[in-house]
Coordinates of all heavy atoms in Angstrom, one line a residue:
T192 N -13.8 0.6 24.5 CA -14.0 1.4 25.7 C -14.9 0.7 26.7 O -14.5 0.7 27.9 CB -14.7 2.8 25.2 OG1 -13.7 3.5 24.5 CG2 -15.1 3.6 26.4
P193 N -16.0 0.1 26.4 CA -16.8 -0.6 27.4 C -16.1 -1.8 28.0 O -16.3 -2.1 29.2 CB -18.1 -1.0 26.7 CG -17.8 -0.9 25.2 CD -16.7 0.1 25.1
I194 N -15.2 -2.4 27.2 CA -14.5 -3.6 27.7 C -13.4 -3.1 28.8 O -13.3 -3.7 29.8 CB -13.8 -4.3 26.6 CG1 -14.8 -4.8 25.6 CG2 -12.9 -5.5 27.1 CD1 -14.3 -5.4 24.3
H195 N -12.8 -2.0 28.5 CA -11.8 -1.4 29.4 C -12.5 -1.0 30.7 O -12.1 -1.4 31.8 CB -11.2 -0.2 28.8 CG -10.1 0.4 29.6 ND1 -9.1 1.2 29.1 CD2 -9.8 0.4 30.9 CE1 -8.3 1.7 30.0 NE2 -8.7 1.2 31.1
A196 N -13.7 -0.4 30.6 CA -14.4 0.0 31.8 C -14.9 -1.2 32.6 O -14.9 -1.2 33.8 CB -15.6 0.9 31.4
A197 N -15.3 -2.2 31.9 CA -15.8 -3.4 32.6 C -14.6 -4.1 33.3 O -14.9 -4.6 34.4 CB -16.4 -4.4 31.5
Y198 N -13.4 -4.1 32.8 CA -12.3 -4.6 33.5 C -12.0 -3.8 34.7 O -11.8 -4.4 35.8 CB -11.1 -4.6 32.5 CG -9.8 -5.1 33.2 CD1 -9.6 -6.4 33.5 CD2 -8.8 -4.2 33.7 CE1 -8.4 -6.9 34.1 CE2 -7.7 -4.6 34.3 CZ -7.5 -5.9 34.5 OH -6.3 -6.4 35.2
V199 N -12.0 -2.5 34.7 CA -11.7 -1.7 35.8 C -12.8 -1.9 36.9 O -12.5 -1.9 38.1 CB -11.7 -0.2 35.4 CG1 -11.6 0.7 36.6 CG2 -10.5 0.0 34.5
H200 N -14.1 -2.0 36.5 CA -15.2 -2.0 37.5 C -15.7 -3.4 37.8 O -16.6 -3.5 38.6 CB -16.3 -1.2 37.0 CG -16.0 0.3 36.8 ND1 -15.7 1.1 37.9 CD2 -15.8 1.1 35.7 CE1 -15.4 2.3 37.5 NE2 -15.5 2.4 36.2
G201 N -15.1 -4.5 37.3 CA -15.4 -5.8 37.8 C -16.5 -6.5 37.1 O -17.0 -7.5 37.7
Y202 N -16.9 -6.2 35.9 CA -17.9 -7.0 35.2 C -17.4 -7.3 33.8 O -18.2 -7.3 32.8 CB -19.3 -6.2 35.1 CG -19.3 -4.8 34.5 CD1 -19.5 -4.7 33.1 CD2 -19.1 -3.7 35.2 CE1 -19.5 -3.4 32.5 CE2 -19.1 -2.4 34.6 CZ -19.3 -2.3 33.3 OH -19.3 -1.1 32.7
Y203 N -16.2 -7.7 33.7 CA -15.5 -8.0 32.4 C -16.1 -9.1 31.7 O -16.4 -9.0 30.5 CB -14.0 -8.3 32.7 CG -13.2 -8.5 31.5 CD1 -12.9 -7.5 30.6 CD2 -12.6 -9.8 31.3 CE1 -12.1 -7.8 29.5 CE2 -11.8 -10.1 30.2 CZ -11.6 -9.1 29.3 OH -10.8 -9.3 28.2
E204 N -16.4 -10.2 32.4 CA -16.9 -11.4 31.7 C -18.3 -11.1 31.1 O -18.6 -11.5 29.9 CB -17.1 -12.6 32.7 CG -15.8 -13.0 33.3 CD -14.8 -13.6 32.2 OE1 -15.3 -14.0 31.2 OE2 -13.6 -13.6 32.5
E205 N -19.2 -10.4 31.8 CA -20.5 -10.1 31.2 C -20.4 -9.2 30.0 O -21.1 -9.4 29.0 CB -21.3 -9.4 32.3 CG -21.7 -10.3 33.5 CD -20.7 -10.0 34.6 OE1 -19.5 -9.8 34.4 OE2 -21.2 -10.1 35.8
M206 N -19.5 -8.2 30.0 CA -19.3 -7.3 28.9 C -18.7 -8.0 27.7 O -19.1 -7.8 26.5 CB -18.5 -6.1 29.3 CG -18.3 -5.1 28.2 SD -19.9 -4.5 27.5 CE -20.5 -3.4 28.9
I207 N -17.7 -8.9 27.9 CA -17.1 -9.6 26.8 C -18.2 -10.5 26.1 O -18.2 -10.5 24.9 CB -16.0 -10.5 27.4 CG1 -14.7 -9.7 27.5 CG2 -15.7 -11.7 26.4 CD1 -14.0 -9.3 26.2
N208 N -19.0 -11.1 26.9 CA -20.1 -12.0 26.3 C -21.0 -11.1 25.4 O -21.4 -11.5 24.3 CB -20.9 -12.7 27.4 CG -20.1 -13.8 28.0 OD1 -19.1 -14.4 27.4 ND2 -20.4 -14.1 29.3
L209 N -21.4 -10.0 25.9 CA -22.3 -9.1 25.2 C -21.6 -8.6 23.9 O -22.2 -8.6 22.8 CB -22.7 -7.9 26.0 CG -23.6 -6.8 25.3 CD1 -24.9 -7.4 24.8 CD2 -23.8 -5.7 26.3
M210 N -20.4 -8.1 24.0 CA -19.7 -7.6 22.9 C -19.4 -8.6 21.8 O -19.4 -8.3 20.6 CB -18.4 -6.9 23.3 CG -18.6 -5.6 24.2 SD -19.4 -4.3 23.3 CE -18.1 -3.8 22.2
R211 N -19.1 -9.8 22.3 CA -18.9 -10.9 21.3 C -20.1 -11.1 20.4 O -20.0 -11.3 19.2 CB -18.5 -12.2 22.0 CG -18.0 -13.3 21.1 CD -17.9 -14.7 21.7 NE -17.2 -14.6 23.0 CZ -17.7 -14.9 24.1 NH1 -19.0 -15.1 24.3 NH2 -16.9 -14.8 25.2
G212 N -21.3 -11.1 21.1 CA -22.5 -11.3 20.3 C -22.8 -10.1 19.4 O -23.1 -10.3 18.2
L213 N -22.6 -8.9 19.9 CA -22.9 -7.7 19.1 C -22.0 -7.5 17.9 O -22.5 -7.3 16.8 CB -22.9 -6.5 20.0 CG -23.3 -5.1 19.5 CD1 -24.8 -5.2 19.1 CD2 -23.1 -4.1 20.6
L214 N -20.7 -7.7 18.1 CA -19.8 -7.5 17.0 C -19.8 -8.7 16.1 O -19.7 -8.6 14.9 CB -18.3 -7.3 17.6 CG -18.1 -6.1 18.4 CD1 -16.7 -6.1 19.0 CD2 -18.4 -4.8 17.6
G215 N -19.9 -9.9 16.7 CA -20.0 -11.1 15.9 C -21.1 -11.1 14.9 O -21.0 -11.4 13.7
A216 N -22.3 -10.8 15.4 CA -23.5 -10.8 14.5 C -23.4 -9.7 13.4 O -23.8 -9.9 12.3 CB -24.8 -10.5 15.4
G217 N -22.8 -8.6 13.8 CA -22.7 -7.5 12.8 C -21.6 -7.7 11.8 O -21.7 -7.2 10.6
L218 N -20.6 -8.4 12.1 CA -19.4 -8.5 11.3 C -19.2 -9.9 10.7 O -18.5 -10.0 9.7 CB -18.1 -8.1 12.1 CG -18.1 -6.6 12.6 CD1 -17.0 -6.4 13.5 CD2 -18.1 -5.6 11.4
K219 N -19.7 -10.9 11.3 CA -19.4 -12.3 10.9 C -20.5 -12.8 10.0 O -21.7 -12.8 10.4 CB -19.3 -13.2 12.1 CG -19.1 -14.7 11.8 CD -19.1 -15.5 13.1 CE -19.0 -17.0 12.7 NZ -19.0 -17.8 13.9
D220 N -20.2 -13.2 8.8 CA -21.1 -13.8 7.9 C -22.4 -12.9 7.7 O -23.5 -13.4 7.6 CB -21.6 -15.2 8.3 CG -20.4 -16.2 8.4 OD1 -19.5 -16.0 7.5 OD2 -20.4 -17.1 9.2
N221 N -22.2 -11.6 7.6 CA -23.3 -10.7 7.5 C -23.4 -10.4 5.9 O -22.6 -9.8 5.3 CB -23.0 -9.4 8.2 CG -24.2 -8.4 8.1 OD1 -25.1 -8.6 7.3 ND2 -24.1 -7.4 8.9
P222 N -24.5 -11.0 5.3 CA -24.6 -10.9 3.9 C -24.9 -9.5 3.4 O -24.9 -9.2 2.2 CB -25.7 -11.9 3.6 CG -26.6 -11.9 4.8 CD -25.6 -11.7 5.9
Y223 N -25.3 -8.6 4.3 CA -25.7 -7.2 3.9 C -24.5 -6.2 4.0 O -24.7 -5.1 3.7 CB -26.8 -6.8 4.8 CG -27.9 -7.8 5.0 CD1 -28.0 -8.5 6.2 CD2 -28.7 -8.2 3.9 CE1 -28.9 -9.5 6.4 CE2 -29.7 -9.2 4.1 CZ -29.8 -9.8 5.3 OH -30.7 -10.8 5.5
L224 N -23.3 -6.8 4.3 CA -22.2 -5.9 4.6 C -21.3 -5.6 3.3 O -21.0 -6.6 2.6 CB -21.3 -6.6 5.7 CG -20.3 -5.7 6.4 CD1 -21.0 -4.6 7.2 CD2 -19.4 -6.6 7.3
Y225 N -21.0 -4.4 3.1 CA -20.0 -4.0 2.1 C -18.6 -4.1 2.7 O -17.8 -4.9 2.3 CB -20.3 -2.6 1.6 CG -19.1 -2.0 0.8 CD1 -18.5 -2.6 -0.3 CD2 -18.6 -0.7 1.2 CE1 -17.5 -2.0 -1.0 CE2 -17.6 -0.1 0.5 CZ -17.0 -0.8 -0.6 OH -16.0 -0.2 -1.3
K226 N -18.4 -3.4 3.7 CA -17.2 -3.4 4.5 C -17.5 -3.0 6.0 O -18.4 -2.3 6.2 CB -16.1 -2.5 4.0 CG -15.4 -3.0 2.7 CD -14.3 -2.1 2.3 CE -13.5 -2.6 1.0 NZ -12.7 -3.7 1.3
G227 N -16.7 -3.5 6.9 CA -16.7 -3.1 8.3 C -15.4 -2.5 8.7 O -14.3 -3.1 8.3
V228 N -15.4 -1.4 9.3 CA -14.2 -0.8 9.9 C -14.4 -0.5 11.4 O -15.4 0.1 11.8 CB -13.8 0.5 9.2 CG1 -12.5 1.1 9.7 CG2 -13.8 0.3 7.6
V229 N -13.5 -1.1 12.2 CA -13.6 -1.0 13.6 C -12.3 -0.3 14.1 O -11.2 -0.6 13.7 CB -13.7 -2.4 14.2 CG1 -13.9 -2.3 15.7 CG2 -14.9 -3.2 13.6
T230 N -12.5 0.6 15.1 CA -11.3 1.3 15.7 C -11.4 1.1 17.2 O -12.4 0.9 17.8 CB -11.3 2.8 15.4 OG1 -12.3 3.5 16.1 CG2 -11.3 3.1 13.9
G231 N -10.2 1.1 17.8 CA -10.0 1.1 19.2 C -8.6 1.3 19.5 O -7.7 1.5 18.7
I232 N -8.3 1.2 20.8 CA -6.9 1.3 21.2 C -6.2 -0.1 21.2 O -5.0 -0.2 20.8 CB -6.8 1.9 22.6 CG1 -7.3 3.4 22.6 CG2 -5.4 1.9 23.2 CD1 -7.4 4.0 24.0
L233 N -6.9 -1.1 21.5 CA -6.4 -2.4 21.7 C -7.1 -3.5 20.9 O -8.3 -3.3 20.6 CB -6.5 -2.9 23.2 CG -5.9 -1.9 24.2 CD1 -6.4 -2.3 25.6 CD2 -4.4 -1.8 24.2
R234 N -6.4 -4.5 20.5 CA -7.0 -5.7 20.0 C -7.3 -6.7 21.2 O -6.4 -7.2 21.7 CB -6.1 -6.4 18.9 CG -6.5 -7.9 18.6 CD -7.8 -8.0 17.8 NE -8.2 -9.4 17.7 CZ -7.9 -10.2 16.6 NH1 -7.1 -9.7 15.7 NH2 -8.4 -11.4 16.6
V235 N -8.6 -6.8 21.5 CA -8.9 -7.6 22.7 C -9.2 -9.0 22.2 O -10.1 -9.2 21.4 CB -10.2 -7.0 23.4 CG1 -10.5 -7.8 24.6 CG2 -9.9 -5.6 23.8
S236 N -8.4 -10.0 22.7 CA -8.6 -11.3 22.2 C -9.2 -12.3 23.2 O -9.5 -13.4 22.8 CB -7.2 -11.9 21.9 OG -6.4 -12.1 23.1
R237 N -9.5 -11.9 24.4 CA -10.0 -12.8 25.4 C -11.3 -13.4 24.9 O -12.2 -12.7 24.4 CB -10.3 -12.0 26.7 CG -10.9 -12.9 27.8 CD -9.9 -13.8 28.4 NE -10.5 -14.7 29.4 CZ -10.7 -14.3 30.7 NH1 -10.3 -13.2 31.1 NH2 -11.2 -15.2 31.5
E238 N -11.5 -14.7 25.0 CA -12.7 -15.4 24.5 C -12.9 -15.2 23.0 O -14.1 -15.3 22.6 CB -13.9 -14.9 25.3 CG -13.8 -14.9 26.8 CD -13.6 -16.2 27.4 OE1 -13.8 -17.2 26.7 OE2 -13.3 -16.3 28.6
S239 N -11.9 -15.0 22.3 CA -12.0 -14.8 20.8 C -13.1 -13.9 20.4 O -14.1 -14.2 19.8 CB -12.2 -16.2 20.2 OG -11.2 -17.1 20.5
L240 N -12.9 -12.6 20.8 CA -13.9 -11.6 20.6 C -14.3 -11.5 19.1 O -15.5 -11.3 18.8 CB -13.4 -10.3 21.1 CG -14.4 -9.1 21.2 CD1 -15.6 -9.5 22.2 CD2 -13.7 -7.8 21.6
F241 N -13.4 -11.7 18.2 CA -13.7 -11.6 16.8 C -13.6 -12.9 16.1 O -13.4 -13.1 14.9 CB -12.7 -10.6 16.1 CG -12.8 -9.2 16.5 CD1 -12.0 -8.7 17.5 CD2 -13.8 -8.4 15.9 CE1 -12.1 -7.3 17.9 CE2 -13.9 -7.1 16.3 CZ -13.1 -6.5 17.3
S242 N -13.8 -14.0 16.9 CA -13.7 -15.3 16.4 C -14.7 -15.6 15.2 O -15.9 -15.3 15.3 CB -14.0 -16.4 17.5 OG -14.0 -17.7 17.0
G243 N -14.1 -16.1 14.1 CA -14.9 -16.4 13.0 C -15.3 -15.3 12.1 O -16.0 -15.5 11.0
V244 N -14.9 -14.0 12.4 CA -15.2 -12.9 11.5 C -14.4 -13.1 10.2 O -13.2 -13.2 10.2 CB -14.8 -11.6 12.2 CG1 -15.0 -10.4 11.2 CG2 -15.6 -11.3 13.4
N245 N -15.1 -13.1 9.1 CA -14.5 -13.4 7.8 C -13.5 -12.3 7.4 O -13.8 -11.1 7.5 CB -15.6 -13.5 6.7 CG -16.5 -14.7 6.9 OD1 -16.2 -15.6 7.6 ND2 -17.7 -14.6 6.4

Side-chain angles (χ1 to χ4, degrees):
T192 294
I194 299 171
H195 185 158
Y198 175 77
V199 171
H200 296 293
Y202 57 91
Y203 181 68
E204 298 297 335
E205 295 96 324
M206 182 56 72
I207 279 288
N208 290 333
L209 174 62
M210 293 295 290
R211 187 192 310 113
L213 188 59
L214 296 176
L218 298 170
K219 176 185 176 182
D220 297 328
N221 185 346
Y223 315 107
L224 196 65
Y225 164 55
K226 282 182 180 290
V228 183
V229 184
T230 70
I232 295 174
L233 309 167
R234 163 72 186 267
V235 181
S236 68
R237 179 76 183 272
E238 310 294 351
S239 301
L240 191 61
F241 293 98
S242 175
V244 174
N245 293 339

